[in-house]
Amino acid sequence: MSTELTPLWEVFVRARRGLSHTHVGSLHAPDAELALRNARDLYTRRQEGVSIWVVPAGAITASSPDEKDAFFDPAADKVYRHPTFYEVPDGVAHL
Amino acid sequence: MYGNDFAPPEDAPGGGLLGEVEAAEAALREAAARARRGGPGPDEDFEAYFADVIDADQKIEPRDWMPEAYRKTLIRQIAQHAHSEIIGMQPEGNWISRAPSLKRKAILLAKVQDEAGHGLYLYAAAETLGISRDELVELLLDGRQKYSSIFNYPTLTWADVGAIGWLVDGAAIVNQVPLCRCSYGPYARAMIRVCKEESFHQRQGYEILHTLAHGTGAQKAMAQDALDRWWYPSLAMFGPPDGDSTHSAQSMAWKIKRFSNDELRQRFVDMCVGQAEVLGLTIPDPGLRWNDERQAYDYTQPDYAELMRVIKGDGPCNRERMAHRQRAHADGAWVREAAVAYAAKRADRKKEKVAA
């Protein structure tokens, strides 16, 4: 049985209403339905979540660590994106 | 997300092994939050960058460069850890159908299910190092990778299920709690999950022994007998003494391991003495006594020659455990094939529908 036949799935669980889905791990399953069932057994045995997403690992494109700098640079040349860039005159309230 | 799922134990944050797990989890978040520069600079070699990440107590992640030996060591350690969880289902599984009450049976079922889950978390962590789970399973089935020596001992009575929970899972936790701070991110995160669940196992095992030890004379004798048989194999779980441990020094330099085998073994003995007193059971070691100078217990070392024999395949249950796993794998082949064929058929139908 080769790995291609039971592909890897990445599992995301949302803990409670209002929170976002968080990556919790991965598992092998032949199809999405079994992946979902296994994810329920594997990652939500103790009420860890109310919603599960499974995604074939092959469908995910990841950024590579060498391009981290350029990729995630918080745009130092675009300081105007931050509210602290703007000067508020004295005496102005609620701004 | 994961920290909220358990009712806080009485020794919550700051105390006991669970407190250490919580602290490791907090440290993991802090390390991630600490600002540090991105990838290695263009003129910087990968090795220096790797050393720098380890020095800074940051985590190595799957797509980071790492020395080949670091990768190999981690694959070996994580895989054998995963195999242990899988083989470890057998000794306890042996008592599922014979558990003395429905409650005990339900608990044991939940526990064995957890062990399967731990195996899968760990296989998933190993896979991030570029090896497939199928390859790892092959290595186990061929006997080219090992699992913990402890699971080659038989479970002869119901009390053994308690002794496994208290001693074997207890030793595992002592071993695994420092791994929550291991330098490889996926392994550290898996260990945090595993340790939290393992604490439940240890407590349920202790409760079984406590109930037996405070029951009839025959029950107490059964509990004592289980302790007598599992004590030394549990001590041996920490591996050979520091002088003979082949991988220790390098693993410590890479911050995979944080404490030596002997340090962890001592910690385990010191923990168990008080716990055995509360049980009213006697640890089967005439050499066990408090050493005021060292502020630790002196104890008799396990028989390391026996440990080596068991690791090499000549323990009481090695053949049985392997045969069972190989049989389950071979007998399950047609089920796996059916699942794959069904998935392929459904995928084809979907395609046809889209085309139509």
Side-chain angles (χ1 to χ4, degrees):
Chain A
M1 167 116 359
S2 87
T3 307
E4 287 152 45
L5 294 178
T6 51
L8 191 66
W9 301 76
E10 298 297 337
V11 183
F12 299 78
V13 172
R14 195 181 69 212
R16 277 184 300 280
R17 292 189 181 283
L19 293 182
S20 53
H21 283 79
T22 308
H23 181 243
V24 291
S26 47
L27 51 82
H28 285 281
D31 60 23
E33 246 167 74
L34 274 179
L36 207 52
R37 258 168 205 276
N38 292 344
R40 185 213 41 201
D41 291 347
L42 186 54
Y43 292 109
T44 64
R45 285 198 299 280
R46 290 184 174 77
Q47 291 151 17
E48 288 94 336
V50 296
S51 164
I52 304 175
W53 290 344
V54 291
V55 184
I60 294 176
T61 310
S63 58
S64 101
D66 346 328
E67 61 197 17
K68 225 184 321 202
D69 270 342
F71 215 67
F72 299 112
D73 198 333
D77 59 333
K78 295 193 178 92
V79 282
Y80 47 81
R81 280 180 169 158
H82 299 278
T84 45
F85 173 76
Y86 302 94
E87 266 179 52
V88 176
D90 288 344
V92 179
H94 309 301
L95 192 70
Chain B
M1 178 210 94
Y2 203 75
N4 311 324
D5 347 310
F6 296 81
E10 57 277 16
D11 59 353
L17 292 167
L18 268 179
E20 281 181 50
V21 176
E22 299 283 344
E25 200 175 12
L28 193 75
R29 279 194 298 264
E30 273 165 38
R34 263 204 314 276
R36 67 179 311 283
R37 62 208 172 82
D43 50 348
E44 192 179 17
D45 69 47
F46 288 128
E47 242 161 283
Y49 178 73
F50 174 84
D52 191 42
V53 172
I54 299 267
D55 265 359
D57 271 331
Q58 295 273 318
K59 301 296 165 195
I60 300 292
E61 293 299 337
R63 299 197 68 193
D64 288 331
W65 181 90
M66 61 190 85
E68 207 35 47
Y70 177 83
R71 183 189 301 277
K72 286 225 171 89
T73 267
L74 275 171
I75 289 179
R76 180 184 51 77
Q77 184 174 340
I78 301 175
Q80 298 191 358
H81 199 157
H83 300 331
S84 302
E85 301 284 358
I86 300 301
I87 299 286
M89 291 194 280
Q90 290 184 41
E92 288 176 296
N94 182 31
W95 279 90
I96 289 176
S97 63
R98 294 179 285 168
S101 74
L102 197 51
K103 177 186 142 193
R104 297 286 180 204
K105 186 176 185 148
I107 293 173
L108 186 56
L109 278 167
K111 183 184 169 186
V112 173
Q113 189 191 20
D114 277 352
E115 307 291 6
H118 296 173
L120 295 185
Y121 304 156
L122 287 159
Y123 281 127
E127 283 196 299
T128 62
L129 291 158
I131 187 161
S132 74
R133 189 181 78 188
D134 293 331
E135 287 174 82
L136 295 172
V137 169
E138 284 299 313
L139 288 168
L140 170 67
L141 293 176
D142 291 354
R144 283 185 292 151
Q145 273 185 342
K146 311 254 182 259
Y147 54 87
S148 177
S149 57
I150 194 83
F151 300 119
N152 293 311
Y153 290 87
T155 39
L156 304 177
T157 68
W158 168 250
D160 286 22
V161 174
I164 289 186
W166 174 40
L167 294 174
V168 175
D169 293 312
I173 298 180
V174 169
N175 220 345
Q176 291 168 5
V177 161
L179 290 173
C180 294
R181 294 178 185 273
C182 149
S183 61
Y184 188 57
Y187 194 25
R189 290 189 287 271
M191 288 330 301
I192 287 172
R193 298 184 73 97
V194 169
C195 282
K196 286 181 178 177
E197 297 180 356
E198 211 76 71
S199 291
F200 140 62
H201 300 170
Q202 190 196 16
R203 286 167 190 219
Q204 70 92 22
Y206 190 78
E207 193 198 74
I208 289 175
L209 287 185
H210 193 265
T211 306
L212 289 174
H214 293 80
T216 65
Q219 286 172 324
K220 182 166 185 182
M222 182 165 77
Q224 181 65 53
D225 167 65
L227 170 54
D228 291 348
R229 281 180 292 108
W230 288 91
W231 175 251
Y232 283 113
S234 300
L235 288 193
M237 277 176 74
F238 293 94
D242 292 350
D244 305 338
S245 181
T246 36
H247 305 287
S248 273
Q250 184 58 74
S251 286
M252 287 181 71
W254 277 329
K255 295 192 183 168
I256 295 174
K257 271 178 94 156
R258 298 291 175 133
F259 302 97
S260 75
N261 294 353
D262 287 336
E263 281 174 293
L264 293 171
R265 193 168 7 242
Q266 180 73 56
R267 187 181 295 186
F268 178 69
V269 171
D270 292 348
M271 267 176 37
C272 284
V273 174
Q275 293 170 354
E277 271 166 24
V278 174
L279 289 177
L281 298 178
T282 313
I283 289 177
D285 178 1
L288 186 77
R289 60 180 57 84
W290 178 251
N291 182 326
D292 220 22
E293 227 168 90
R294 291 198 306 121
Q295 286 296 300
Y297 282 92
D298 289 335
Y299 62 97
T300 310
Q301 294 289 321
D303 179 353
Y304 292 111
E306 175 182 318
L307 173 68
M308 291 327 285
R309 271 201 311 280
V310 176
I311 288 177
K312 292 216 168 90
D314 208 14
C317 299
N318 294 58
R319 285 169 200 82
E320 184 186 332
R321 301 288 184 241
M322 284 300 285
H324 183 92
R325 187 87 282 282
Q326 284 158 345
R327 197 169 53 241
H329 192 74
D331 291 355
W334 70 270
V335 180
R336 295 194 299 277
E337 277 161 31
V340 170
Y342 181 67
K345 187 174 85 178
R346 298 225 311 174
D348 282 349
R349 279 209 190 136
K350 225 184 213 170
K351 258 188 236 154
E352 276 165 32
K353 252 190 209 157
V354 172

